[in-house]
Amino acid sequence: MVHIDRTSPWTKADMAAVGMIEPDADDTPRTQCRDWLVYASNARRGQSFLHWEQLRGIGQFLDIALANLHDAVIDDGADYDPVDAYAVAVTEIQVIFGVRQRQARTLVDQSVAVSESVPRVGELLRDALITPEMFAVAVARTAIVLDAGTRAAVDAELAAALRSAGQVSEKVASGIADRIVARHDPDAVRRRREKAKARRNVTARDYEDGLGGLTITADAEEARLSWAAVNALAESVCPADPRPLGVRRSAAATARLRRLPFECGCPDKSTCTAQLDEDALSERQARIVIHAVCQKSTLDGTDDEPGYLDGHGVIGADHVREMARRSDARIRDLDLDRFGAPEDLAESPILIERTAQAAEPYRPTATLDAVVRGLFPTCTLPGCARPAWSCELDHVEEYNQVCPASGGPTCLCNIAPKCKLHHVQKTSVGAADPAAGFVDDLWIDDDGSIWTAITTPHGITVEAPAPGQWLFPQLEGVKCLHQPHAPPESQASPESAPTPPSGGGLRAATAYKHAWRRAERARLRRRREQAAADDPPPF
């Protein structure tokens, strides 16, 4: 008998051997903060490797424990129940790990996937290039692919896509998996979609303290429209309504479901400015729009390229065409040729021009607006899931309202969505000392791929390609006249950095902040280009 020792040997492990070195207490607070963040990041990456080792161990256990099961199954004369043997193995893992049976079954499924279904994606987990959560998403979203050859192709393409995706959320990883599966096995996507339709339902449950919950499961577009309708109604009250937004949402949703009037909660109705009559509500509802992006070939049925529904994610070609057939759908051709100069329309790659409104160059054209939100389907801060059409479009290098030519352009190379929170943080944090704030960047590389980067207040930079570039194959190899390389060292040295203003008020402080960020972006680009020159890609 073996007793499981619950004391952890990890407390005695040498963390320095895997790059986890505690900061020097004599360093500056800023340096210590940065080093502790790096330490924590390495620990998180270590979790990926240990999760892979955990799955490998479970897989080895299953190979041995169920070896006789395989022999019994292929022996026609054997009286053997494979379900019982598998269930016993799952239960044993449940006991050892102390988890629920469903979690134990998930671990078993992942251990099989790491060696059989998606081994190349499993290698990314081993190498700490993806998180355990991202691996779980990859396993779940590719499980519908049954053919071994197709599964191998999906595994290879998905591994390559996740390897180059950078720091992405599980939702983005799920979208990457869905679009690759849709390209390789559209029939599997159709089967999953039909099964999903059968799960549409309304359920209720009770909570403690006199509360109950109501869950509506519907087609993604209907759910997004309903959510927007509830929000629009909840936000139609007057400023004196003391209720939090969540409470107003609950009141608005239940009122509409029961066909009762939704009322403002302000204490003095004589001064209430809310317009909650049917005409006002109808006008508000009519302004609700959800957005989806797809190729023309998907709409006309030429191919089954997937599309993207804002706030939800990747949707299959059949789902795209279902939405396009709705009576309230409006289809607009983005006409990406408008990006090119008139004399260069036949050229490939496209040379980006004409992306700002002629009368108001601060604002992007409708085409650029849609393309940017398609390229970056969520807020560009890593980990933020705020949908792009709910974000504000930000000039990465700040636009100069006084002299537009001396500021950042309104162009594909300089526009990115940011949610209100992260837009405010970029704008306001570091107002007094730019070095204490965030520095973002956006560029188009030599291959025409669009990248973003964010450098935190403590000097850690995270880079990632635009997640939605697959939606716009017409932009492959795109070039832009605005996109400069970093200036040489002699033109961007610390001696040439802007000096803090000694007076001049807010305008001078803002101008200094923008100048400092331009210099910092140039320094970071120079460092990036030097790193690429020192370690070129293997091709």
Side-chain angles (χ1 to χ4, degrees):
M1 183 180 73
V2 177
H3 177 71
I4 298 295
D5 185 1
R6 295 297 178 186
T7 61
S8 173
W10 292 102
T11 57
K12 305 179 181 65
D14 179 13
M15 295 292 103
V18 290
M20 296 177 60
I21 303 174
E22 295 189 12
D24 190 332
D26 294 331
D27 285 338
T28 65
R30 175 181 169 82
T31 300
Q32 289 188 60
C33 285
R34 181 200 63 204
D35 290 348
W36 275 119
L37 286 172
V38 172
Y39 185 94
S41 175
N42 285 337
R44 179 166 172 77
R45 295 183 66 199
Q47 291 174 4
S48 296
F49 174 74
L50 288 177
H51 188 68
W52 179 82
E53 285 285 10
Q54 173 181 275
L55 296 179
R56 189 171 74 92
I58 293 173
Q60 293 293 326
F61 156 72
L62 292 173
D63 284 348
I64 299 170
L66 302 183
N68 293 331
L69 168 64
H70 175 72
D71 295 337
V73 169
I74 62 175
D75 182 0
D76 294 337
D79 182 14
Y80 197 89
D81 188 348
V83 177
D84 285 348
Y86 178 82
V88 168
V90 170
T91 301
E92 192 164 4
I93 291 168
Q94 178 184 0
V95 170
I96 300 300
F97 284 75
V99 296
R100 301 180 69 172
Q101 187 179 53
R102 184 174 181 178
Q103 293 172 283
R105 193 182 301 276
T106 297
L107 286 172
V108 168
D109 291 344
Q110 290 184 14
S111 71
V112 173
V114 82
S115 61
E116 297 181 11
S117 303
V118 285
R120 294 193 181 184
V121 176
E123 291 171 2
L124 300 185
L125 180 67
R126 178 199 64 194
D127 297 341
L129 295 177
I130 61 173
T131 64
E133 294 81 8
M134 289 171 66
F135 181 74
V137 163
V139 173
R141 301 311 294 173
T142 60
I144 60 173
V145 181
L146 304 179
D147 177 74
T150 305
R151 192 166 57 233
V154 168
D155 178 36
E157 187 173 341
L158 179 56
L162 291 175
R163 182 182 294 276
S164 61
Q167 196 91 333
V168 298
S169 66
E170 293 145 52
K171 188 175 182 65
V172 172
S174 177
I176 293 172
D178 283 349
R179 69 173 169 85
I180 290 172
V181 169
R183 285 176 172 173
H184 285 273
D185 197 346
D187 289 337
V189 175
R190 292 188 184 97
R191 292 193 300 270
R192 180 163 62 188
R193 170 73 175 147
E194 290 305 312
K195 287 182 179 179
K197 288 180 179 180
R199 297 203 305 270
R200 291 176 293 194
N201 197 4
V202 179
T203 57
R205 62 176 298 182
D206 293 322
Y207 297 109
E208 295 177 347
D209 304 318
L211 294 177
L214 190 67
T215 300
I216 302 173
T217 305
D219 288 334
E221 64 274 20
E222 293 294 350
R224 298 302 303 174
L225 286 167
S226 300
W227 174 250
V230 169
N231 272 324
L233 187 55
E235 292 169 354
S236 63
V237 298
C238 81
D241 190 322
R243 296 173 296 177
L245 179 58
V247 173
R248 284 183 274 131
R249 283 180 182 143
S250 175
T254 52
R256 298 305 283 179
L257 282 171
R258 299 180 61 206
R259 305 189 71 177
L260 297 174
F262 172 68
E263 298 180 348
C264 182
C266 63
D268 186 359
K269 298 299 187 230
S270 64
T271 61
C272 182
T273 59
Q275 295 182 343
L276 296 172
D277 58 276
E278 283 301 320
D279 289 342
L281 292 179
S282 295
E283 181 184 354
R284 196 172 292 113
Q285 297 291 314
R287 293 198 297 267
I288 294 173
V289 178
I290 61 172
H291 300 265
V293 183
C294 71
Q295 288 291 311
K296 295 178 187 177
S297 56
T298 301
L299 284 184
D300 62 27
T302 303
D303 57 41
D304 287 322
E305 280 291 302
Y308 190 90
L309 175 61
D310 181 56
H312 174 73
V314 175
I315 55 177
D318 288 345
H319 195 170
V320 171
R321 292 188 279 265
E322 287 175 16
M323 291 177 57
R325 288 192 294 267
R326 291 172 59 114
S327 60
D328 57 353
R330 297 294 179 267
I331 299 172
R332 181 164 65 87
D333 189 346
L334 289 180
D335 192 7
L336 298 184
D337 285 344
R338 291 181 179 273
F339 272 170
E343 64 275 11
D344 294 331
L345 288 182
E347 295 295 323
S348 181
I350 295 174
L351 182 63
I352 291 290
E353 289 188 2
R354 301 185 298 167
T355 54
Q357 296 183 19
E360 195 173 0
Y362 174 74
R363 301 194 177 282
T365 62
T367 297
L368 178 62
D369 184 297
V371 168
V372 166
R373 296 182 197 272
L375 285 168
F376 301 100
T378 62
C379 170
T380 48
L381 194 103
C384 183
R386 175 71 64 177
W389 265 277
S390 300
C391 290
E392 301 166 343
L393 290 186
D394 172 48
H395 284 75
V396 174
E397 182 182 345
E398 292 78 4
Y399 186 85
N400 191 320
Q401 297 281 4
V402 177
C403 180
S406 64
T410 303
C411 179
L412 187 65
C413 70
N414 195 53
I415 296 287
K418 286 188 177 66
C419 69
K420 186 175 289 291
L421 169 65
H422 295 130
H423 197 176
V424 168
Q425 287 184 339
K426 173 200 168 174
T427 302
S428 303
V429 176
D433 176 14
F438 292 91
V439 178
D440 56 344
D441 200 1
L442 190 155
W443 69 96
I444 303 173
D445 67 17
D446 292 338
D447 296 326
S449 297
I450 301 166
W451 288 75
T452 60
I454 184 77
T455 300
T456 70
H458 290 97
I460 298 173
T461 300
V462 176
E463 301 175 357
Q469 293 186 81
W470 63 274
L471 275 170
F472 304 100
Q474 298 91 335
L475 295 181
E476 183 177 356
V478 67
K479 301 295 180 184
C480 177
L481 294 177
H482 298 119
Q483 192 66 45
H485 289 283
E489 187 75 28
S490 60
Q491 297 180 25
S493 62
E495 291 77 12
S496 64
T499 55
S502 57
L506 179 61
R507 177 172 292 184
T510 301
Y512 166 68
K513 178 180 69 175
H514 294 176
W516 185 92
R517 284 179 175 172
R518 282 195 297 273
E520 180 67 3
R521 288 188 188 101
R523 184 186 72 80
L524 293 171
R525 288 185 183 186
R526 190 174 60 254
R527 186 178 71 179
R528 184 171 60 245
E529 291 172 3
Q530 185 60 53
D534 293 342
D535 186 19
F539 47 79

XYZ file of all heavy atoms in Angstrom, residues 435-515:
597
model
N 6.843 58.083 -17.310
C 7.505 56.802 -17.074
C 6.705 55.912 -16.135
O 6.937 54.707 -16.075
C 8.904 57.029 -16.508
N 5.745 56.489 -15.403
C 4.922 55.713 -14.481
C 3.623 55.249 -15.124
O 2.765 54.684 -14.443
C 4.605 56.548 -13.239
N 3.469 55.468 -16.437
C 2.235 55.100 -17.121
C 2.440 53.980 -18.119
O 3.515 53.374 -18.220
N 1.386 53.698 -18.878
C 1.420 52.670 -19.908
C 1.891 53.286 -21.228
O 1.564 54.427 -21.542
C 0.032 52.061 -20.118
C -0.466 51.253 -18.955
C -1.220 51.845 -17.943
C -0.185 49.896 -18.859
C -1.683 51.105 -16.870
C -0.638 49.141 -17.789
C -1.388 49.750 -16.795
N 2.623 52.493 -22.007
C 3.035 52.899 -23.346
C 2.595 51.806 -24.312
O 3.042 50.666 -24.206
C 4.563 53.115 -23.445
C 4.948 53.493 -24.874
C 5.011 54.191 -22.476
N 1.691 52.170 -25.231
C 1.250 51.187 -26.211
C 1.889 51.494 -27.559
O 2.409 52.582 -27.792
C -0.272 51.165 -26.323
C -0.856 52.528 -26.662
O -0.134 53.534 -26.518
O -2.023 52.590 -27.068
N 1.857 50.513 -28.442
C 2.418 50.701 -29.787
C 1.653 49.817 -30.754
O 1.009 48.835 -30.355
C 3.913 50.345 -29.797
C 4.640 50.974 -30.980
O 3.994 51.688 -31.776
O 5.860 50.764 -31.119
N 1.710 50.180 -32.011
C 1.056 49.413 -33.074
C 1.904 49.574 -34.323
O 2.351 50.681 -34.628
C -0.364 49.933 -33.302
C -1.308 49.121 -34.207
C -2.748 49.397 -33.835
C -1.108 49.441 -35.688
N 2.142 48.483 -35.033
C 2.953 48.581 -36.237
C 2.586 47.475 -37.222
O 1.949 46.488 -36.874
C 4.446 48.516 -35.899
C 4.921 47.188 -35.399
C 5.512 46.186 -36.124
C 4.879 46.706 -34.043
N 5.827 45.125 -35.324
C 5.452 45.412 -34.038
C 4.413 47.242 -32.844
C 5.565 44.669 -32.889
C 4.519 46.487 -31.689
C 5.097 45.219 -31.720
N 2.948 47.701 -38.469
C 2.772 46.715 -39.530
C 4.161 46.213 -39.905
O 5.024 47.006 -40.300
C 2.071 47.333 -40.755
C 0.718 47.927 -40.345
C 1.890 46.301 -41.858
C 0.034 48.709 -41.437
N 4.389 44.910 -39.760
C 5.738 44.408 -39.989
C 6.004 44.233 -41.490
O 5.148 44.524 -42.338
C 5.998 43.117 -39.212
C 5.168 41.926 -39.709
O 4.630 41.996 -40.830
O 5.084 40.931 -38.970
N 7.195 43.756 -41.808
C 7.596 43.646 -43.213
C 6.739 42.658 -44.000
O 6.682 42.718 -45.234
C 9.077 43.228 -43.299
C 10.004 44.323 -42.792
O 9.574 45.495 -42.786
O 11.143 44.009 -42.394
N 6.072 41.725 -43.295
C 5.206 40.762 -43.961
C 3.768 41.256 -44.097
O 2.912 40.545 -44.624
C 5.205 39.436 -43.197
C 6.577 38.788 -43.191
O 7.299 38.929 -44.202
O 6.936 38.158 -42.177
N 3.499 42.467 -43.579
C 2.147 42.996 -43.626
C 1.287 42.582 -42.449
O 0.091 42.868 -42.421
N 1.864 41.904 -41.455
C 1.110 41.533 -40.254
C 1.045 42.733 -39.309
O 1.999 43.490 -39.185
C 1.766 40.349 -39.539
O 1.756 39.199 -40.365
N -0.094 42.870 -38.645
C -0.338 44.015 -37.771
C -0.155 43.560 -36.325
O -0.728 42.553 -35.897
C -1.750 44.575 -38.009
C -1.891 44.995 -39.473
C -2.041 45.751 -37.095
C -3.308 45.240 -39.912
N 0.640 44.310 -35.587
C 1.010 43.948 -34.222
C 0.670 45.074 -33.258
O 0.659 46.251 -33.642
C 2.513 43.672 -34.118
C 2.954 42.400 -34.770
C 3.094 42.167 -36.112
C 3.309 41.185 -34.103
N 3.518 40.880 -36.331
C 3.660 40.255 -35.121
C 3.370 40.787 -32.782
C 4.064 38.961 -34.818
C 3.772 39.505 -32.478
C 4.109 38.599 -33.493
N 0.435 44.683 -31.997
C 0.322 45.666 -30.924
C 1.285 45.278 -29.807
O 1.708 44.121 -29.697
C -1.100 45.720 -30.334
O -1.436 44.429 -29.802
C -2.116 46.132 -31.388
N 1.603 46.255 -28.993
C 2.435 46.008 -27.810
C 1.968 46.935 -26.700
O 1.499 48.051 -26.960
C 3.912 46.251 -28.117
N 2.071 46.474 -25.486
C 1.773 47.309 -24.321
C 2.915 47.147 -23.332
O 3.341 46.026 -23.038
C 0.415 46.920 -23.683
C 0.066 47.840 -22.533
C 0.371 45.473 -23.265
C -0.450 49.176 -22.956
N 3.459 48.273 -22.885
C 4.515 48.261 -21.876
C 3.925 48.795 -20.578
O 3.370 49.897 -20.550
C 5.706 49.125 -22.309
O 6.231 48.613 -23.548
C 6.810 49.090 -21.263
N 4.014 48.009 -19.520
C 3.390 48.354 -18.254
C 4.194 49.433 -17.529
O 5.339 49.713 -17.899
C 3.278 47.122 -17.352
O 4.602 46.746 -16.916
C 2.653 45.948 -18.088
N 3.609 50.033 -16.481
C 4.340 51.064 -15.733
C 5.670 50.589 -15.160
O 6.533 51.419 -14.874
C 3.355 51.449 -14.624
C 2.013 51.193 -15.219
C 2.197 49.953 -16.061
N 5.852 49.284 -15.006
C 7.112 48.778 -14.466
C 7.999 48.170 -15.546
O 8.924 47.404 -15.259
C 6.847 47.775 -13.349
C 6.302 48.428 -12.103
N 4.950 48.466 -11.829
C 6.921 49.112 -11.102
C 4.762 49.111 -10.695
N 5.932 49.509 -10.243
N 7.728 48.511 -16.802
C 8.684 48.224 -17.866
C 8.613 46.853 -18.494
O 9.566 46.419 -19.135
N 7.502 46.135 -18.359
C 7.356 44.815 -18.977
C 6.507 44.959 -20.227
O 5.399 45.504 -20.173
C 6.718 43.814 -18.000
C 7.629 43.632 -16.777
C 6.476 42.477 -18.680
C 7.018 42.789 -15.687
N 7.021 44.480 -21.353
C 6.344 44.634 -22.640
C 5.743 43.306 -23.097
O 6.407 42.269 -23.048
C 7.325 45.150 -23.714
O 7.838 46.425 -23.303
C 6.628 45.307 -25.055
N 4.489 43.358 -23.530
C 3.791 42.193 -24.074
C 3.357 42.535 -25.494
O 2.715 43.553 -25.729
C 2.559 41.832 -23.215
C 1.782 40.687 -23.855
C 2.989 41.448 -21.804
N 3.732 41.677 -26.456
C 3.403 41.905 -27.868
C 2.443 40.826 -28.356
O 2.465 39.694 -27.876
C 4.674 41.880 -28.724
C 5.715 42.917 -28.336
C 7.004 42.775 -29.128
O 7.094 41.819 -29.936
O 7.916 43.589 -28.939
N 1.613 41.186 -29.332
C 0.680 40.209 -29.902
C 0.250 40.670 -31.288
O 0.075 41.868 -31.521
C -0.540 40.039 -29.005
N 0.072 39.738 -32.228
C -0.479 40.097 -33.542
C -1.977 40.337 -33.438
O -2.636 39.856 -32.510
C -0.165 38.862 -34.392
C -0.147 37.734 -33.419
C 0.378 38.288 -32.121
N -2.534 41.060 -34.392
C -3.977 41.299 -34.416
C -4.705 39.961 -34.558
O -4.473 39.234 -35.529
C -4.334 42.232 -35.564
N -5.601 39.622 -33.629
C -6.234 38.292 -33.668
C -7.129 38.071 -34.877
O -7.351 36.926 -35.276
C -7.073 38.269 -32.374
C -6.494 39.327 -31.504
C -5.986 40.380 -32.430
N -7.662 39.140 -35.485
C -8.636 38.969 -36.551
C -8.095 39.116 -37.951
O -8.868 39.328 -38.890
N -6.777 38.982 -38.130
C -6.218 39.173 -39.471
C -6.732 38.138 -40.468
O -6.798 38.401 -41.669
C -4.688 39.148 -39.407
C -4.118 40.344 -38.663
C -2.601 40.428 -38.708
O -2.036 40.882 -39.685
N -1.956 39.983 -37.658
N -7.144 36.973 -39.970
C -7.670 35.932 -40.854
C -8.960 36.376 -41.543
O -9.313 35.838 -42.598
C -7.917 34.659 -40.053
C -8.960 34.830 -38.977
C -8.740 35.287 -37.711
C -10.348 34.540 -39.064
N -9.910 35.311 -37.004
C -10.917 34.862 -37.809
C -11.175 34.057 -40.069
C -12.274 34.701 -37.531
C -12.530 33.899 -39.793
C -13.062 34.223 -38.560
N -9.659 37.356 -40.959
C -10.910 37.822 -41.554
C -10.684 38.638 -42.828
O -11.603 38.817 -43.623
C -11.676 38.693 -40.548
C -12.572 37.969 -39.535
C -13.047 38.950 -38.474
C -13.745 37.310 -40.220
N -9.466 39.141 -43.001
C -9.200 40.063 -44.108
C -8.005 39.589 -44.931
O -6.929 40.210 -44.902
C -8.926 41.473 -43.568
C -10.029 42.021 -42.713
C -9.932 42.000 -41.335
C -11.172 42.535 -43.291
C -10.952 42.500 -40.539
C -12.200 43.033 -42.506
C -12.090 43.013 -41.135
N -8.152 38.485 -45.658
C -7.021 38.018 -46.479
C -6.622 39.032 -47.549
O -5.488 39.011 -48.023
C -7.566 36.727 -47.114
C -9.052 36.850 -47.058
C -9.336 37.617 -45.802
N -7.525 39.963 -47.896
C -7.185 40.988 -48.889
C -6.093 41.924 -48.395
O -5.418 42.577 -49.193
C -8.427 41.823 -49.239
C -9.556 41.033 -49.864
C -10.528 40.506 -48.801
O -10.153 40.324 -47.642
N -11.750 40.240 -49.217
N -5.916 41.990 -47.071
C -4.903 42.891 -46.514
C -3.540 42.206 -46.358
O -2.626 42.792 -45.772
C -5.357 43.425 -45.153
C -6.601 44.324 -45.167
C -6.908 44.802 -43.759
C -6.410 45.506 -46.098
N -3.396 41.002 -46.863
C -2.118 40.293 -46.732
C -0.999 41.111 -47.381
O -1.103 41.534 -48.537
C -2.202 38.922 -47.386
C -0.932 38.095 -47.217
C -1.075 36.716 -47.810
O -2.178 36.371 -48.277
O -0.066 35.984 -47.813
N 0.050 41.337 -46.622
C 1.181 42.107 -47.136
C 0.947 43.598 -47.184
O 1.691 44.330 -47.837
N -0.076 44.097 -46.467
C -0.415 45.519 -46.517
C 0.769 46.392 -46.087
O 1.558 46.017 -45.215
C -1.649 45.795 -45.633
C -1.339 45.578 -44.167
C -2.162 47.205 -45.856
N 0.911 47.527 -46.728
C 1.976 48.476 -46.398
C 1.358 49.824 -46.055
O 0.237 50.128 -46.454
C 2.947 48.640 -47.572
C 3.617 47.345 -48.013
C 4.516 46.770 -46.943
C 5.174 45.484 -47.396
N 5.978 44.847 -46.329
N 2.111 50.641 -45.350
C 1.612 51.948 -44.943
C 2.744 52.969 -44.972
O 3.830 52.704 -44.470
C 1.016 51.866 -43.539
S 0.454 53.437 -42.907
N 2.462 54.130 -45.551
C 3.494 55.173 -45.654
C 3.814 55.800 -44.304
O 4.874 56.399 -44.134
C 3.029 56.257 -46.632
C 2.888 55.828 -48.093
C 2.342 56.973 -48.932
C 4.225 55.368 -48.642
N 2.884 55.675 -43.353
C 3.115 56.312 -42.051
C 4.090 55.530 -41.179
O 4.598 56.055 -40.210
C 1.796 56.421 -41.268
C 0.767 57.267 -41.922
N -0.460 56.775 -42.316
C 0.779 58.570 -42.283
C -1.166 57.739 -42.859
N -0.446 58.835 -42.865
N 4.279 54.263 -41.501
C 4.959 53.365 -40.574
C 6.471 53.497 -40.672
O 7.112 52.912 -41.534
C 4.553 51.921 -40.853
C 4.962 50.943 -39.778
C 4.232 51.213 -38.477
O 3.046 51.428 -38.442
N 4.970 51.210 -37.399
N 7.083 54.266 -39.785
C 8.537 54.420 -39.844
C 9.241 53.326 -39.052
O 8.667 52.724 -38.161
C 8.755 55.776 -39.175
C 7.677 55.835 -38.139
C 6.490 55.073 -38.709
N 10.484 53.076 -39.412
C 11.328 52.260 -38.552
C 11.841 53.135 -37.420
O 11.809 54.359 -37.500
C 12.505 51.678 -39.334
C 12.097 50.612 -40.297
N 11.793 49.334 -39.895
C 11.934 50.642 -41.641
C 11.455 48.612 -40.946
N 11.539 49.388 -42.021
N 12.306 52.511 -36.370
C 12.825 53.288 -35.260
C 14.023 54.126 -35.716
O 14.841 53.662 -36.512
C 13.247 52.350 -34.130
N 14.130 55.357 -35.235
C 15.271 56.183 -35.617
C 16.562 55.589 -35.089
O 16.551 54.844 -34.108
C 14.956 57.527 -34.948
C 14.037 57.195 -33.820
C 13.230 56.022 -34.285
N 17.673 55.885 -35.724
C 18.947 55.363 -35.235
C 19.266 55.899 -33.853
O 18.703 56.887 -33.402
C 19.961 55.872 -36.280
C 19.282 57.006 -36.956
C 17.832 56.710 -36.929
N 20.202 55.222 -33.217
C 20.553 55.565 -31.836
C 20.897 57.037 -31.682
O 20.516 57.680 -30.715
C 21.736 54.689 -31.384
C 22.087 54.829 -29.914
C 21.074 54.110 -29.035
O 20.481 53.141 -29.519
O 20.883 54.530 -27.878
N 21.598 57.584 -32.644
C 22.042 58.967 -32.529
C 20.873 59.941 -32.512
O 20.984 61.055 -32.003
C 22.975 59.322 -33.693
O 22.291 59.166 -34.924
N 19.704 59.527 -33.087
C 18.548 60.413 -33.129
C 17.557 60.123 -32.009
O 16.551 60.807 -31.887
C 17.832 60.281 -34.471
C 18.671 60.686 -35.653
C 17.904 60.518 -36.959
O 16.684 60.545 -36.982
N 18.633 60.351 -38.048
N 17.802 59.113 -31.224
C 16.861 58.760 -30.162
C 17.601 58.380 -28.895
O 17.238 57.457 -28.202
C 15.960 57.610 -30.619
N 18.640 59.082 -28.598
C 19.433 58.795 -27.415
C 18.783 59.439 -26.197
O 17.943 60.329 -26.316
C 20.843 59.356 -27.595
O 20.787 60.754 -27.733
N 19.141 59.001 -24.991
C 18.589 59.623 -23.795
C 18.836 61.122 -23.759
O 18.036 61.879 -23.231
C 19.327 58.893 -22.656
C 19.714 57.575 -23.240
C 20.003 57.854 -24.682
N 19.966 61.574 -24.347
C 20.254 62.999 -24.338
C 19.243 63.784 -25.168
O 19.007 64.965 -24.926
C 21.670 63.251 -24.878
C 22.797 62.744 -23.957
C 22.970 61.228 -24.042
O 22.393 60.614 -24.964
O 23.662 60.664 -23.180
N 18.630 63.121 -26.178
C 17.693 63.818 -27.042
C 16.251 63.660 -26.582
O 15.337 64.142 -27.242
C 17.806 63.296 -28.481
O 17.419 61.933 -28.545
N 16.031 62.953 -25.461
C 14.683 62.773 -24.953
C 14.123 64.109 -24.507
O 14.859 65.006 -24.101
C 14.695 61.783 -23.794
N 12.799 64.266 -24.565
C 12.200 65.536 -24.165
C 12.445 65.825 -22.692
O 12.518 64.915 -21.866
C 10.713 65.323 -24.455
C 10.518 63.844 -24.486
C 11.800 63.295 -25.013
N 12.581 67.071 -22.374
C 12.810 67.489 -20.997
C 11.495 67.922 -20.372
O 10.639 68.511 -21.036
C 13.800 68.659 -20.935
O 13.315 69.732 -21.768
C 15.161 68.238 -21.437
N 11.295 67.610 -19.085
C 10.034 67.973 -18.430
C 9.828 69.481 -18.464
O 10.779 70.256 -18.366
C 10.239 67.474 -16.992
C 11.317 66.455 -17.073
C 12.205 66.900 -18.189
N 8.576 69.913 -18.614
C 8.313 71.356 -18.656
C 8.473 71.982 -17.280
O 8.180 71.361 -16.262
C 6.859 71.417 -19.123
C 6.253 70.123 -18.649
C 7.357 69.113 -18.735
N 8.946 73.207 -17.251
C 9.079 73.933 -15.991
C 7.868 74.806 -15.734
O 7.736 75.407 -14.679
C 10.341 74.805 -16.025
O 10.290 75.690 -17.137
N 6.971 74.896 -16.681
C 5.755 75.697 -16.533
C 4.861 75.447 -17.722
O 5.069 74.528 -18.502
N 3.845 76.261 -17.885
C 2.985 76.147 -19.055
C 1.682 75.442 -18.808
O 0.836 75.372 -19.693
N 1.496 74.862 -17.602
C 0.224 74.270 -17.261
C -0.047 72.940 -17.935
O 0.858 72.236 -18.389
N -1.343 72.617 -18.041
C -1.767 71.310 -18.524
C -1.353 71.062 -19.968
O -0.935 69.963 -20.319
C -3.292 71.197 -18.397
C -3.922 69.884 -18.879
C -3.375 68.709 -18.080
C -5.442 69.951 -18.769
N -1.452 72.082 -20.827
C -1.111 71.889 -22.228
C 0.354 71.508 -22.387
O 0.701 70.598 -23.153
C -1.423 73.150 -23.032
C -1.031 73.041 -24.502
C -1.529 74.212 -25.311
N -2.997 74.195 -25.407
C -3.694 75.070 -26.126
N -3.072 76.029 -26.793
N -5.008 74.988 -26.172
N 1.238 72.180 -21.634
C 2.663 71.871 -21.715
C 2.948 70.477 -21.166
O 3.755 69.724 -21.724
C 3.477 72.921 -20.958
N 2.256 70.085 -20.070
C 2.463 68.759 -19.487
C 1.993 67.664 -20.446
O 2.642 66.627 -20.592
C 1.718 68.655 -18.155
N 0.873 67.918 -21.123
C 0.368 66.935 -22.089
C 1.314 66.800 -23.278
O 1.597 65.696 -23.746
C -1.032 67.347 -22.572
O -1.913 67.423 -21.448
C -1.567 66.343 -23.578
N 1.812 67.939 -23.759
C 2.750 67.907 -24.883
C 4.020 67.139 -24.500
O 4.560 66.365 -25.302
C 3.101 69.319 -25.323
N 4.506 67.343 -23.273
C 5.689 66.620 -22.804
C 5.415 65.128 -22.718
O 6.231 64.295 -23.155
C 6.123 67.145 -21.441
C 7.118 66.240 -20.751
C 8.411 66.073 -21.234
C 6.740 65.520 -19.615
C 9.307 65.213 -20.610
C 7.629 64.664 -18.984
C 8.908 64.514 -19.488
O 9.789 63.669 -18.867
N 4.229 64.750 -22.187
C 3.873 63.333 -22.070
C 3.852 62.674 -23.443
O 4.403 61.578 -23.629
C 2.509 63.197 -21.394
C 2.023 61.753 -21.269
C 0.664 61.678 -20.595
C -0.426 62.248 -21.490
N -1.773 62.072 -20.883
N 3.251 63.350 -24.415
C 3.187 62.782 -25.765
C 4.572 62.671 -26.391
O 4.891 61.673 -27.058
C 2.272 63.630 -26.640
C 0.836 63.599 -26.210
N -0.146 64.355 -26.807
C 0.207 62.866 -25.231
C -1.311 64.114 -26.221
N -1.114 63.219 -25.260
N 5.408 63.693 -26.174
C 6.765 63.653 -26.723
C 7.575 62.542 -26.072
O 8.350 61.838 -26.742
C 7.441 65.004 -26.531
